[in-house]
Amino acid sequence: MVNQFVDSGLKESGFNFKAETIEGLAEQAYQYYKHTLKGDNHKAPVTPAPTNDVTPDVPVDDDPEVFNEPQSSEQK
């Protein structure tokens, strides 16, 4: 769509360029827009990597024979 828009505008002004030239110029303009004017809104959000220094709030059941879950009076 961009190439057709640019091509029709240029032809109305009396210019006639090859399709490859228009495509290259449109791509170059888009790259300039993204990198120089900070117009790229397609960047993925950055999620920090998990670290090992997080202590779990809940005990981990590594050894079922040692781990005793609290029991209600109905379970005893």
Side-chain angles (χ1 to χ4, degrees), residues 41-62:
N41 62 356
H42 297 93
K43 293 179 182 174
V46 177
T47 305
T51 61
N52 290 335
D53 20 309
V54 176
T55 307
D57 295 336
V58 180
V60 179
D61 187 3
D62 289 333

Side-chain angles (χ1 to χ4, degrees), residues 1-12 22:
M1 293 300 294
V2 170
N3 297 345
Q4 291 173 355
F5 176 78
V6 171
D7 188 38
S8 65
L10 288 171
K11 284 183 179 174
E12 287 175 9
I22 293 171

Side-chain angles (χ1 to χ4, degrees), residues 55-71:
T55 307
D57 295 336
V58 180
V60 179
D61 187 3
D62 289 333
D63 186 354
E65 294 180 12
V66 176
F67 185 81
N68 295 317
E69 290 187 17
Q71 298 178 351

Side-chain angles (χ1 to χ4, degrees), residues 11-33:
K11 284 183 179 174
E12 287 175 9
S13 298
F15 296 97
N16 190 15
F17 290 99
K18 292 181 181 179
E20 294 85 14
T21 302
I22 293 171
E23 183 178 337
L25 290 172
E27 180 64 28
Q28 187 175 13
Y30 176 63
Q31 293 301 324
Y32 174 81
Y33 169 74

